[in-house]
Amino acid sequence: MNPRTLAIALAVIALLLVAACGGSGQSSPSSTRPKDGSEQAVPSTAQDRDVGTAEGRDTTAGQISTFALDVDTASYGYAGRVIQEGRLPEPGQVRPEEFVNSFRQDYQEPGGDGFTVHMDGARMRENGTALVRVGLQTRRADAEARRPANLTFVVDVSGSMGEPGRLDLVREALHRLVDQLGPGDQVSVVTFSDEAELVVPMTSADSREALHAAIERLAVQGSTDLEAGLTTGYAEASRAFRPAATNRVILLSDGLANAGDTSWQGILRRVEEFAGRQVTLLCVGVGRDYGDQLMEQLADNGDGAAVYVSSVDDARKVFVEQLTANLDLRARDAKAQVVFNPSVVESYHLIGYENRRLTTEDFRDDTKDGGEVGPGHSVTALYEVRLRSGASGQLAMATVRWQDPDTRKPGEASRSLDEADLSASLWRGPSPRFQVDVVAAVFAEYLRTHEQIAGVGAGELADHATRLAAATEDTAVADLAALIGRAASLG
């Protein structure tokens, strides 16, 4: 039996078992992603962290892992700001997938507008365990090739934005973005504090002087009616909607709503409604005090992404280097599903993605929400697995499913990984980028649980990061090494 036939047979068997067992299986939680903010992400427990523990795990019915893709990076950006200030982030603010997805990957790009699927892995020091990486990559696009954009800036000018340098950073980010736009792009500006105001109606990006002047006039005042700001912003985006353009609201805020409808449910419902009309959302977080969870949920419900900026360099990265990826779309409602071979894998644990997990049946249900992915984006998921002694053959098959941004036509791509393809050592053999992903994930787990992944403690983590910074010549990895050292000194 060839590998593809085996994977299909395994998937069918697993689906039957899931139906018979009510879809349960603790090794692959099946709670759907929260849509109204009423359910929050559940942090990993000690039992869920131990891939060597069979108790409470159904290794047959739970052999399928399904989750919505996520390109958010705000969790890592904000954690870095907090650590540099001499504090440790709250455990609930640490999302390992956002740490991992903050780093450049080495995946091959597809020839078309879909995804390539990459799988690799390495054995860990503990006998019978391994780390498996699933990597998904979209094709990059030149700035000249991206579609025109209708951008509505929704800018928080409330009193909480009065922190020294906070509004200045927002102005700098907006100036940089305006300078990158082309003649086919249009921009509007909405501000909000006690109430919302349409400062600049939808205007051609050619009117740069007027746009820069409006940005310079931004001034702090009043409280934070986030709901009013988003409502006014989406109304302007809808009024000026262009079917052939990317229609996006860009929220710049600290996410600290304290006026108007401050309930998550009300705000999220409004955002989700407009996302259904193909107006997407980019949340740009700023500030020492930051409403991380609300901004992340806004991005999820608004079919967008959440990033965090704490410096001019961050603003340049988001609005210059990654402009096309952050504005345009390659895929809507993208989901991943990994089918583990129960004759090779005894149990597994997906690191992170707690509030992105879906049921098995959701994968090919195109009415179920997934993640939105832009050109040149990579998405990485890491699994800890316990292998069955002496087993060989196909370990797992990963499949990504997405919809075309315009036609909603679904597409799929798959790749499998054999047990024999695992590297013999975690730190010798795998690519440097694989090792960086491991370091980032281990660091995140250390911050939120103080538990180890791959038997790697906090002490040696900084050494690995320093070595990898030299090997990759990547300043982002060097910054990671410095953050790990700083966090270790904070206890």
Side-chain angles (χ1 to χ4, degrees):
M1 182 180 293
N2 64 43
R4 183 171 182 82
T5 304
L6 173 61
I8 294 171
L10 289 172
V12 171
I13 293 170
L15 285 171
L16 293 173
L17 288 168
V18 167
C21 298
S24 64
Q26 292 187 24
S27 60
S28 181
S30 59
S31 59
T32 57
R33 153 181 161 187
K35 296 295 291 181
D36 61 1
S38 58
E39 296 179 35
Q40 301 304 313
V42 179
S44 300
T45 63
Q47 180 180 351
D48 191 39
R49 288 282 316 115
D50 184 1
V51 296
T53 301
E55 296 178 7
R57 294 177 178 273
D58 185 336
T59 58
T60 53
Q63 73 180 32
I64 301 180
S65 171
T66 308
F67 60 95
L69 301 196
D70 189 357
V71 296
D72 294 351
T73 60
S75 176
Y76 177 70
Y78 184 57
R81 162 82 182 258
V82 171
I83 292 168
Q84 287 170 346
E85 291 183 345
R87 300 175 288 142
L88 291 177
E90 295 295 325
Q93 296 173 328
V94 177
R95 294 180 291 278
E97 68 275 15
E98 297 187 25
F99 276 53
V100 173
N101 286 326
S102 295
F103 294 91
R104 191 171 77 242
Q105 301 297 336
D106 54 3
Y107 310 136
Q108 182 179 0
E109 293 185 12
D113 289 341
F115 289 83
T116 52
V117 183
H118 176 93
M119 292 191 79
D120 56 3
R123 295 180 182 276
M124 298 192 290
R125 279 178 272 188
E126 183 182 352
N127 186 37
T129 60
L131 279 177
V132 171
R133 179 174 69 157
V134 176
L136 308 170
Q137 179 73 52
T138 58
R139 179 173 56 86
R140 290 175 176 81
D142 294 333
E144 298 77 14
R146 71 168 174 83
R147 69 179 71 194
N150 265 25
L151 306 178
T152 300
F153 300 145
V154 177
V155 185
D156 186 347
V157 294
S158 65
S160 61
M161 295 292 288
E163 173 189 307
R166 188 181 300 194
L167 192 56
D168 290 336
L169 182 57
V170 168
R171 289 195 197 95
E172 180 65 24
L174 290 176
H175 284 313
R176 286 177 178 267
L177 178 52
V178 167
D179 284 339
Q180 297 302 307
L181 298 179
D185 300 323
Q186 296 187 131
V187 173
S188 60
V189 180
V190 170
T191 61
F192 67 94
S193 53
D194 294 330
E195 57 187 22
E197 178 185 359
L198 177 61
V199 177
V200 179
M202 198 63 75
T203 301
S204 170
D206 287 339
S207 303
R208 281 188 171 80
E209 288 188 13
L211 291 170
H212 284 308
I215 291 167
E216 276 302 307
R217 287 195 299 270
L218 297 176
V220 172
Q221 56 185 322
S223 54
T224 312
D225 193 338
L226 178 57
E227 188 265 345
L230 285 172
T231 298
T232 303
Y234 274 114
E236 176 63 11
S238 297
R239 183 195 65 77
F241 183 89
R242 286 190 291 168
T246 296
N247 296 271
R248 190 178 288 269
V249 170
I250 300 178
L251 171 65
L252 297 103
S253 174
D254 55 19
L256 302 175
N258 58 19
D261 186 349
T262 60
S263 70
W264 285 25
Q265 289 83 352
I267 298 173
L268 295 178
R269 274 195 300 268
R270 186 63 60 90
V271 168
E272 185 182 352
E273 174 188 345
F274 281 101
R277 304 177 193 174
Q278 295 191 329
V279 178
T280 57
L281 179 66
L282 174 64
C283 292
V284 181
V286 295
R288 184 176 189 274
D289 296 316
Y290 172 56
D292 168 73
Q293 289 187 326
L294 176 56
M295 294 287 273
E296 191 245 355
Q297 289 292 302
L298 284 171
D300 287 354
N301 284 262
D303 282 356
V307 298
Y308 179 86
V309 297
S310 61
S311 67
V312 172
D313 283 343
D314 290 341
R316 176 182 50 77
K317 181 178 179 182
V318 171
F319 292 125
V320 179
E321 295 177 8
Q322 300 174 347
L323 178 68
T324 302
N326 285 326
L327 293 189
D328 217 343
L329 282 181
R330 278 277 185 253
R332 289 187 184 273
D333 290 327
K335 310 163 191 171
Q337 187 168 85
V338 182
V339 179
F340 291 93
N341 183 348
S343 66
V344 174
V345 175
E346 180 180 305
S347 60
Y348 71 88
H349 166 67
L350 172 59
I351 300 171
Y353 291 96
E354 281 86 2
N355 64 351
R356 308 292 282 175
R357 302 194 187 182
L358 303 170
T359 66
T360 301
E361 295 79 6
D362 288 342
F363 182 63
R364 290 191 172 89
D365 183 347
D366 293 331
T367 67
K368 298 295 184 181
D369 198 21
E372 277 56 49
V373 183
H377 262 133
S378 60
V379 180
T380 299
L382 290 174
Y383 289 87
E384 292 178 280
V385 300
R386 175 165 288 283
L387 306 173
R388 295 192 183 277
S389 178
S392 61
Q394 187 181 91
L395 188 154
M397 174 172 279
T399 303
V400 58
R401 182 179 177 88
W402 70 94
Q403 296 178 42
D404 181 273
D406 299 317
T407 67
R408 293 284 184 173
K409 180 180 178 180
E412 289 190 8
S414 299
R415 182 175 293 271
S416 63
L417 177 70
D418 281 4
E419 175 274 336
D421 294 330
L422 295 174
S423 294
S425 167
L426 186 60
W427 304 115
R428 298 189 193 91
S431 71
R433 291 294 170 187
F434 176 97
Q435 296 178 50
V436 170
D437 293 340
V438 173
V439 169
V442 172
F443 182 41
E445 286 297 276
Y446 167 77
L447 290 175
R448 70 173 184 167
T449 68
H450 285 278
E451 295 181 12
Q452 295 184 357
I453 294 178
V456 180
E460 64 178 305
L461 197 59
D463 293 338
H464 285 302
T466 300
R467 171 180 59 81
L468 290 165
T472 60
E473 297 182 342
D474 188 342
T475 56
V477 182
D479 291 342
L480 173 63
L483 277 182
I484 292 171
R486 177 69 167 146
S489 71
L490 298 173

